[in-house]
């Protein structure tokens, strides 16, 4: 009986310690100066996605260029409030990946819902064919031309009908972030632009949403529509 009680007490202490660690990690995260900006940015992007595909039951995200503080993925997870949503975070910096993993585990996110991979955005090692939405971070690609080259590599590995969300900037904010140029050249790499959002409030980044089409430039069913997102 004493052994059973001892095990129960030990288990309760372990659970309490994990809860305390999660609370502390979350409190520290909230002190990040731009946390609120990311929350509002992700809300804007989720609403933009819903406006172009209202029946889109998003389940899987990939974020290219997630960095040591994967705020976008954390905000997506919080915004959608679903255990079925998973975020695959990719960064070429191994130290950034290690830091991000430590943070997410402290926050209570499991490897199934918040996973990480050390690779460059255009790496063929990243299997993007299973994702509904692929994000391209604002600082991935130092200029519009480089961004276009990266997206060409990324789109080749995505399924038709999936969405690409590219962060950009407008006006003087171009001084902070490289711009995603929405041109006819997107069609040459299999992308069809759907929506561009330029905020004029405290949200810094613009976003460009495009759908991946089949190599022939038609939808998956050959009709020219974007087809199913399932």
């Amino acid at each position: 009986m004493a052994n059973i009680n001892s095990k129960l007490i030990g288990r309760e202490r372990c659970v309490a310690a994990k809860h305390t660690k999660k609370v502390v990690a979350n409190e520290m995260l909230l002190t990040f100066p731009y946390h609120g900006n990311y929350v509002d940015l992700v809300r804007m992007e989720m609403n933009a996605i819903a406006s172009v595909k209202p029946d889109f039951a998003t389940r899987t995200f990939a974020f290219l260029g997630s960095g040591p503080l994967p705020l976008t993925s954390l905000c997506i997870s919080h915004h959608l409030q679903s255990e079925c949503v998973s975020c695959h975070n990719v960064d070429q910096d191994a130290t950034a990946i290690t830091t991000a993993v430590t943070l997410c585990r402290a926050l209570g996110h499991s490897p199934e819902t918040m996973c990480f991979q050390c690779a460059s955005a255009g790496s063929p090692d990243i299997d993007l064919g299973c994702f509904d939405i692929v994000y391209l971070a604002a600082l991935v690609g130092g200029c519009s031309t480089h961004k276009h080259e990266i997206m060409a590599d990324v789109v080749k590995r995505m399924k038709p009908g999936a969405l690409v969300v590219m962060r950009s900037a407008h006006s003087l904010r171009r001084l902070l972030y490289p711009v995603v140029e929405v041109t006819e050249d997107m069609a040459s790499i299999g992308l069809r632009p759907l929506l561009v959002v330029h905020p004029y409030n405290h949200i810094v980044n613009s976003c460009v949403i495009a759908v991946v089409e089949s190599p022939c430039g038609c939808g998956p069913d050959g009709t020219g529509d974007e087809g199913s997102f399932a």
Side-chain angles (χ1 to χ4, degrees):
M1 189 67 178
N3 286 337
I4 294 176
N5 288 336
S6 178
K7 288 181 180 179
L8 288 174
I9 292 172
R11 186 176 301 172
E12 289 174 355
R13 287 177 177 174
C14 183
V15 171
K18 287 182 178 179
H19 177 71
T20 301
K21 187 177 181 180
K22 180 178 179 180
V23 170
V24 171
N26 190 61
E27 288 177 348
M28 291 182 65
L29 183 64
L30 293 176
T31 64
F32 181 65
Y34 301 109
H35 182 270
N37 189 284
Y38 272 88
V39 171
D40 293 339
L41 172 59
V42 168
R43 184 187 298 115
M44 180 188 81
E45 291 167 342
M46 293 297 105
N47 288 333
I49 290 168
S51 73
V52 298
K53 200 67 180 178
D55 58 342
F56 186 17
T58 308
R59 290 291 179 269
T60 53
F61 292 82
F63 194 93
L64 307 181
S66 55
L69 186 57
L71 269 175
T72 295
S73 293
L74 291 171
C75 289
I76 288 173
S77 177
H78 180 75
H79 181 84
L80 296 178
Q81 291 290 312
S82 173
E83 294 181 357
C84 298
V85 172
S86 65
C87 297
H88 187 80
N89 301 279
V90 179
D91 199 279
Q92 63 182 357
D93 188 325
T95 302
I97 290 292
T98 300
T99 302
V101 169
T102 302
L103 171 64
C104 289
R105 299 300 171 258
L107 289 169
H109 292 279
S110 70
E112 289 73 30
T113 60
M114 196 72 68
C115 55
F116 295 85
Q117 181 177 0
C118 185
S120 61
S123 171
D125 295 332
I126 310 171
D127 181 11
L128 298 175
C130 60
F131 295 103
D132 299 319
I133 294 180
V134 173
Y135 263 82
L136 185 70
L139 292 177
V140 171
C143 64
S144 297
T145 301
H146 191 201
K147 280 184 177 291
H148 184 83
E149 292 171 352
I150 292 172
M151 284 313 307
D153 289 334
V154 167
V155 171
K156 290 176 185 176
R157 290 173 281 122
M158 293 178 64
K159 62 183 178 183
L163 292 182
V164 180
V165 179
M166 297 162 278
R167 285 185 175 162
S168 184
H170 72 96
S171 304
L172 288 177
R173 300 174 188 194
R174 291 167 175 253
L175 298 174
L176 298 174
Y177 297 102
V179 176
V180 175
E181 298 290 353
V182 181
T183 66
E184 294 180 356
D185 289 341
M186 281 191 169
S188 67
I189 62 172
L191 277 180
R192 177 160 59 88
L194 298 177
L195 185 67
V196 180
V197 181
H198 291 311
Y200 285 84
N201 57 1
H202 64 284
I203 298 174
V204 177
N205 288 116
S206 302
C207 80
V208 178
I209 300 176
V211 63
V212 176
E213 297 192 318
S214 57
C216 65
C218 299
D221 58 359
T223 63
D225 195 5
E226 58 263 36
S228 172
F229 281 68

